[in-house]
Each structure stands twice: as structure tokens, then as C-alpha cells.
Amino acid sequence: MLTLKLPDGSSRQVAEGTRPRDVAESIGKRLAQAAIAAKVNDVVVDLDRELAGSDGVELSFQILTDKNPEALEVMRHSCAHIMARAVMRLFPGVQLAFGPPLEKGFYYDIDVTPPLREEDFPAIEAEMRKIVAEAEPFERFERPTPEARQLVQDLQQSYKVEHIDDELKQYPSLSFYRQGEFLDLCRGPHIPHAGKISAFKLLTIAGAYWKNDAGRKQLQRLYATAFFTQKELDAYLHQLEEAKKRDHRLLGKQLKLFTISQSVGSGLILWMPRGAIVRGILESFIKDELIKRGYQPVYTPHIGRLELYRTSGHFPYYRDAQYPPLFLHPLGQAVDTWLSLLEADKLPLESEQAFLQILAEAGQGMADSPGEPQATVKAYRAALGDKAKRIEALKDWVNRQEGYLLKPMNCPHHIQIYKAEPRSYRDLPVRLAEFGTVYRFEQTGELSGMTRVRGFTQDDAHLFVTQEQVEAEVGANIDLVLFVLSTLGLTDYRLRVGLRDPKSDKYVGAPEDWAKAEATLIEVVKSRGMNYSAEAGEAAFYGPKIDFVVSDCIGREWQLGTVQLDYNLPKRFELEYVGKDNAPHRPVMIHRAPFGSMERFMGILIEHFAGAFPLWLAPEQVRVLPVSERFNDYGRKVETELKSHGFRATLDLRPEKIGYKIREAQLEKIPYMLVVGDKEQTAGTVALRERASGDLGALPVSEVISKLEAEARERRLPTEPPK
């Protein structure tokens, strides 16, 4: 018998082979009808999957309904199958690739000639509705891997055959799901039958390389979404429409905030003057606050020696997300590429021989020393039957070369500043802050405006503290993030404590250090009465972290500020300070960035404010609008007065009608317009207009200046979300 531990704490005894569906029916008819899937020992399974285990073993068990987030993911996965089935019914010769669920929907990568168009969506959705109405079950079965390969080959699904050959042949058996005439290689899980799907919508088509490899064929990625109710779907579609209006990529171009030039490179942001003004204000805002809080500014270069990042762990473990290293030796890049391909088992024999020939020819005439090519060629040829020794020979050569890397993180540089002078416990905490630019080689398909880029500037800081100072400094940095977010009106947030995934090998450091760091962060959050979720797998490779996941004014979530606790890099770099006992001690590091990156934060702010920045942040705060040329001189006088009080003001002297000038200013999201004509010139006033409220009446210039100074000084925000 198996023991099932239910969410309410009660237990049930069931026989091995019992299905989750049976358990649901034994609990109650209504639960059985509402059941979507089950969760057994934190693994989501189909309702018909038989429970297995040894006698007396206790299994955590939960029936999932439409109230559980995991159930929505299962339903969307099933809807992806239904979408693929509908496409195959309508378009002959369809080749299927992958179709996973996403946070907000799902997609399926397909290959079909002629390609699908968005005009095909109504027909596909109509066919999907037919399949849903038939409410056919999803049936799971397994086959030995050779039979599974033959099955997908018989179905003429070449991408599935290739996937088995490349990655799945190591498994003894593979699973499939059948629904009517549709059959797909799939791990599952799935909903009991198609009738559980209530509301879905096809969204868009994009290009996607097979297995995200630009060297392989480009497929079509068909995006869609699904919800358990039409109301939820309608709300999401409304959010998408709002997001389109606020798209920072469009507004950024319209408002001349930033641009991206292919002559410079994809994912590399060029800040235009208006955008640079906003960025400068944000930087000054946080710099002023940091000085008050005891931070010291530093500057570091954009590149560093490879050895620095080998010590920190950033290289080579994360090289797939970094720009290639720069070597001074002319063969450095070639040998480094050779080594990477060899380690990844992606080096054909003929390519290996070609690399070896290049190295041998280039090394002729050079000294036969361990650091030169000839010695490496000899060692490599002597190890042709031993891959590990060939890798060792190449690593030995590469590690001897002077190489540099575009900076992926600021922390190793700040560590060197800390190490540049002896430190006493009296000096700690040392708080080093920098707007430091770093570089990551994001895949082309993942780049998106300012929110996913290859070069970005972090409002980065690293604190070097004693163990006794950790909790207070972590708490102070939480306060700093909260101050930044509240100032900008980003007050709807949740806290995520990112923990190490014990099953992953990406983390560095001793388990006891991780346990201590994780316990500290959770204790700090708890002591402040803050709600949080602890999520395994969300930690940085060197330590756990607290992330602020912010919802903008239309409900989308963004990960912004972060506070990270690190016991590992101080060990890797052998950092020390002299304690009260006159003995050396190891400091603890805190990494923190309230904005995250300036590019991403700016993109989010553009969308949050719909480009209508509050007065204190607006690149152009006030525009003076003369009614006609006769009042240009008075307009200049008003503009000069505004500028003398520090306002970013301009004067529109174009010979256009005043209505046109007002509309232009509103389209450009200018917070305030000052209209000047005969009455205003005579009375020494201006007609004040606010971009949202419209005409606020005639006021003396001095009164307008006082009003706007107070609004900017207090960093007031719009009372309603910008339209």
C-alpha cells in the first residue's frame, strides 16, 4: 500500500497502480469533475498515470483544478497539441517540431509549405473549436526507443526523428500522446480530454530556428494563448492591446529617446539626447541618494583579463552567454573555438585535422616551448585516442595566452578595488557603487528593444561587510530598492527569494555557505513582515538573492531591483580584513542593483508611463507656445525665465496655428504648455495647459514657476495611469 499525504495534512492508503483520477473520485464527485491533473511529490502527472512506490512510502499528493497555476500550464500544453492537430487537418505536409507551454500561453514550431499567414488564423481557430467540442481524451502510451523512432518515421515527422537521434536515444523508452487521429512524441502531462479547454486565441507568427540554432532551418513559430474562462482571455487580450499602445520600441522612436543601428550592432542601444536626459536624471537621483547612504563612487574598464573571470567563475562556465574572448596571440581565437567544439562533441574528424594542420603550420619556426604551438601539436597528436588528454593539451595552451573578455559583470573589478589596499574591521562596510556597462551575447531571437540587449549599464554596487553587519546592510538595501520603486510609482510588487537548485551543478561554493546565506535572506524578509515566495533555481551562481518582481500599471510583471548575498566570491578571491583580534577575517559580499539595468529600467518606465514621464523626469518639461509671431518676443522672455529656474523649456516659433502647436506638444508628451497671446502679454501671465487635464487658466509667470517647482521637487506622479 502507498500512503498519500494530502494538502490538508490528512493521509490516505491506496494500492499501487491506483490512478489520481480514482483518488479524486474517492474524495468527492465535484473534485473529480474539476480535476485537470495531479501533483505527486511535486511532479505534475496525468490523471490516468498509475501511482508507484514501495510499500509504506509516503507520497505528497494534490489534485489540480483550474484554481492551480500548474493546471493552466497543463491545459495550455494540451491546447498546443490541439492547435497542431488543427493545422495538420487544414494544411497537408506539416512537419512538427516542439510545442511547449509558456508563462502567458504556448507555441508550436512547424514547417509547412506554403508558410502560414495570420489570415489563416480564423480557419485554424474554427478547426480547434471542432476538436474541443468533440472532447476526445488524451491517451498516453510508451514504446521502446527503436520502435518510437520507427513510429515517428512512419508518420514522416523528420524533426521528431532527428530529435530522437540527437538527444533521446539514450532513454530506453519514449512516451506519446494520442488524441483521435493525432499522435505526438511528448512527455506530457495533459488534460483528461479536450472539453476542459474553454477559451483560446491565436496571436502571431514568428520565425524560429530549429533547436534555436541559426545554422539550422528556420521554422514558423505559431504563438497562441488559452485560459479556463472567456473573461480571463478577454482581460489578457485587453492587456495586449494596451501593451501595443505602450510598446517602448515604438514610443522610443516616436519620442526620439533611443535608437538601434545595425551599423553598430544588434542589441546595442544608442541613447538619443531626449533619452539621455531621462537617463541622466535617473542616475543623478540614485547617485545623490547613495552619497547620503555612505556609498563611494568608482569607475572600472569595459574589459578585463580572462584570468580575472576564471577566478570569479564567469568564464568559461557562462561563455555561451558572453562575447568571445579576445586573445593577443593570433591563433588564440582559433584554438579557443577548437577547444569549445571538442568539449561539446561538435567537432567532426575532418575539422579536427584542419585545426591541427593550421596550428602545426603556424607554429613552424617558433620555439619548441610548452607555451608555443609546436609543443601543443606534439601533445595533441600523442593523445589522438584520448579525448580528455586532447582537451587538456588545448586548455594548457589557451590558459597560457594573454586574453581579455568584454566585462560580463562588475563584481570582479570592484573586488580588485577592495583588494587594492589593506582593510580593517573599522573600514567596513565598504560600499562601492558604479554605473558599470557590461556585455552579454544574447541570441538574436531573444533581443527586444531596451528590455533584452547585449550591452547594458547596471546601477551596480558591491558591499564588503563583516558577518555581524550582513542583516542590517541587506535590510538597508531592501529599503533603498523600495525607495526607488515608490518614487517612480512602481508600488505593486512581490518579493522572490531565489534559492539554489540542489539538483543543478551551476552553483559554486560550499553547501554550508549556501545554507547560511539562504537562511539569512529569508530571516531578513520575515523580520520585516514582507510577503515572499522562495523559489529554487532562481539564485545567482554565487549566492541567493531577493528580487523585486514589479507589476506595471496594466498588470505585467517585470523583475527589477535585486539584493544578493555572497559568501563565495570573497573566498575565490581570498579577500580579507583585519579583525578586532588583529587576525585576518573573510568579508561577506552583498551585490545590489535597485534599477537592474538602465536600458531595461528605461524600457519599462516608457511603457509604465506610456511615454508621458512625470514632470521631474520629462526630457522636455515645458513648451512655450506663442499664438502668433507678434508674441515671439514675449515667448522668449517667458522661456528665459523658465530656464533661469532650471526648467527644461523650449519655445515653438513655427508659423503654425496654436491648435496645431498644442496637438504636437501633446503627442510629444510634454507635461506643460504655456500659451502666450495678447491678453497674456498685456497682463504678464501665461495660459497654462497640462497634457492630461487641458486648460488650467491664466496665471502669472511667477506663480506657474512656483507651482511647477513644487511638483518637480516633490517628484509627483500622475494621479491616474497615462493613456
Side-chain angles (χ1 to χ4, degrees), residues 508-691:
V508 298
E512 57 269 23
D513 287 337
W514 276 92
K516 180 164 56 175
E518 290 175 345
T520 298
L521 291 190
I522 289 174
E523 177 57 34
V524 170
V525 172
K526 282 183 175 179
S527 68
R528 301 167 74 85
M530 305 177 81
N531 293 323
Y532 72 95
S533 62
E535 300 183 23
E538 292 294 332
F541 79 90
Y542 46 75
K545 58 179 181 170
I546 298 170
D547 289 330
F548 288 76
V549 182
V550 177
S551 294
D552 66 15
C553 62
I554 60 171
R556 296 169 303 175
E557 284 195 336
W558 306 90
Q559 194 265 298
L560 292 179
T562 186
V563 180
Q564 305 170 358
L565 187 55
D566 177 9
Y567 286 88
N568 290 306
L569 291 187
K571 284 186 176 180
R572 294 173 79 94
F573 283 96
E574 299 180 343
L575 301 186
E576 292 183 347
Y577 68 90
V578 177
K580 292 181 181 180
D581 56 2
N582 210 32
H585 295 266
R586 188 84 68 208
V588 182
M589 276 184 73
I590 298 171
H591 310 239
R592 72 102 190 97
F595 289 150
S597 84
M598 298 306 297
E599 286 75 9
R600 179 178 171 82
F601 198 81
M602 180 68 167
I604 293 167
L605 282 186
I606 292 170
E607 299 199 3
H608 181 66
F609 291 121
F613 294 106
L615 179 66
W616 70 276
L617 202 53
E620 182 181 345
Q621 296 173 306
V622 187
R623 185 173 293 178
V624 182
L625 309 176
V627 172
S628 71
E629 292 181 14
R630 290 192 300 122
F631 309 107
N632 284 355
D633 287 343
Y634 181 60
R636 289 190 184 96
K637 181 180 177 182
V638 172
E639 179 197 21
T640 300
E641 185 71 10
L642 289 165
K643 286 183 173 179
S644 71
H645 284 80
F647 286 104
R648 297 180 292 280
T650 62
L651 175 64
D652 188 345
L653 296 178
R654 294 176 299 168
E656 303 285 356
K657 292 183 178 180
I658 190 63
Y660 178 82
K661 291 182 178 181
I662 291 172
R663 283 193 298 276
E664 286 281 293
Q666 287 178 321
L667 287 173
E668 293 176 35
K669 316 284 188 179
I670 311 302
Y672 285 98
M673 292 145 273
L674 308 187
V675 180
V676 295
D678 190 27
K679 288 189 296 184
E680 289 79 22
Q681 180 174 277
T682 301
T685 61
V686 294
L688 181 63
R689 294 187 64 89
E690 199 268 335
R691 70 184 158 207

Side-chain angles (χ1 to χ4, degrees), residues 20-56:
R21 181 192 303 277
D22 302 325
V23 179
E25 289 172 350
S26 71
I27 294 173
K29 184 177 180 181
R30 292 178 62 184
L31 180 62
Q33 291 174 340
I36 300 295
K39 187 159 66 172
V40 182
N41 281 354
D42 292 325
V43 176
V44 180
V45 299
D46 306 314
L47 289 176
D48 285 324
R49 182 74 67 88
E50 293 183 353
L51 300 175
S54 305
D55 281 350

Side-chain angles (χ1 to χ4, degrees), residues 12 26 87 93 102 176 189-190 210 257 306 311 321 333 372 384 415 472 532 534 571 574 605 621 671 688-689 696:
R12 281 180 176 252
S26 71
V87 171
L102 303 169
F176 292 81
H190 284 282
W210 167 230
L257 298 170
L306 274 176
T311 301
Q333 188 65 60
E372 292 301 341
L384 283 177
I415 285 170
Y532 72 95
K571 284 186 176 180
E574 299 180 343
L605 282 186
Q621 296 173 306
L688 181 63
R689 294 187 64 89
L696 300 180

Side-chain angles (χ1 to χ4, degrees), residues 125-262:
E125 290 176 343
E127 195 64 35
M128 290 173 68
R129 283 190 286 272
K130 291 180 184 177
I131 295 171
V132 169
E134 291 166 0
E136 292 173 300
F138 284 85
E139 300 170 317
R140 183 181 189 276
F141 65 90
E142 292 188 9
R143 290 289 183 270
T145 298
E147 291 183 25
R149 187 189 186 282
Q150 186 61 51
L151 179 54
V152 293
Q153 187 169 348
D154 292 343
L155 292 171
Q156 299 181 347
Q157 290 295 325
S158 60
Y159 293 104
K160 305 288 186 179
V161 173
E162 184 179 339
H163 185 46
I164 292 174
D165 290 343
D166 286 351
E167 299 178 36
L168 303 183
K169 61 185 178 183
Q170 60 181 307
Y171 300 104
S173 64
L174 301 174
S175 61
F176 292 81
Y177 279 82
R178 178 189 290 115
Q179 193 205 26
E181 83 285 358
F182 182 75
L183 184 67
D184 200 5
L185 176 70
C186 181
R187 290 181 302 177
H190 284 282
I191 57 179
H193 58 80
K196 291 286 186 180
I197 298 173
S198 299
F200 57 84
K201 180 71 176 175
L202 272 62
L203 300 174
T204 188
I205 300 175
Y209 292 109
W210 167 230
K211 294 195 173 182
N212 293 321
D213 184 345
R216 299 191 182 194
K217 185 171 183 180
Q218 189 175 56
L219 311 177
Q220 284 190 292
R221 180 163 291 178
L222 187 52
Y223 285 100
T225 192
F227 290 86
F228 282 115
T229 68
Q230 188 64 42
K231 182 179 178 181
E232 291 172 306
L233 175 61
D234 290 343
Y236 177 68
L237 295 178
H238 174 72
Q239 185 186 79
L240 288 183
E241 288 302 312
E242 280 295 310
K244 287 179 183 177
K245 297 177 189 176
R246 296 166 177 269
D247 190 332
H248 76 279
R249 294 167 296 182
L250 301 178
L251 287 173
K253 182 178 180 179
Q254 175 189 325
L255 300 177
K256 301 178 182 178
L257 298 170
F258 74 96
T259 188
I260 298 172
S261 167
Q262 292 308 310

Side-chain angles (χ1 to χ4, degrees), residues 401-528:
Q401 308 310 310
E402 186 171 3
Y404 293 83
L405 192 66
L406 283 173
K407 182 170 61 175
M409 295 286 277
N410 296 303
C411 37
H413 293 245
H414 290 188
I415 285 170
Q416 296 308 308
I417 292 175
Y418 177 88
K419 289 185 73 172
E421 56 184 290
R423 303 287 181 174
S424 162
Y425 72 93
R426 295 185 182 90
D427 301 324
L428 274 58
V430 173
R431 307 182 185 96
L432 304 179
E434 175 185 19
F435 281 88
T437 302
V438 298
Y439 301 89
R440 314 276 175 81
F441 194 78
E442 300 284 0
Q443 296 300 311
T444 301
E446 296 174 342
L447 298 175
S448 179
M450 300 185 92
T451 57
R452 200 71 182 265
V453 294
R454 287 176 173 165
F456 53 93
T457 302
Q458 295 177 308
D459 63 321
D460 216 351
H462 296 91
L463 295 83
F464 302 85
V465 305
T466 68
Q467 180 60 50
E468 294 75 22
Q469 294 167 338
V470 167
E471 291 194 17
E473 290 297 320
V474 169
N477 277 286
I478 290 174
D479 289 338
L480 176 60
V481 176
L482 292 175
F483 169 73
V484 169
L485 296 180
S486 64
T487 300
L488 291 159
L490 298 167
T491 55
D492 184 6
Y493 62 86
R494 62 182 178 86
L495 253 61
R496 178 178 66 205
V497 179
L499 308 177
R500 178 181 58 155
D501 180 356
K503 299 175 185 176
S504 173
D505 61 358
K506 81 169 190 177
Y507 305 100
V508 298
E512 57 269 23
D513 287 337
W514 276 92
K516 180 164 56 175
E518 290 175 345
T520 298
L521 291 190
I522 289 174
E523 177 57 34
V524 170
V525 172
K526 282 183 175 179
S527 68
R528 301 167 74 85

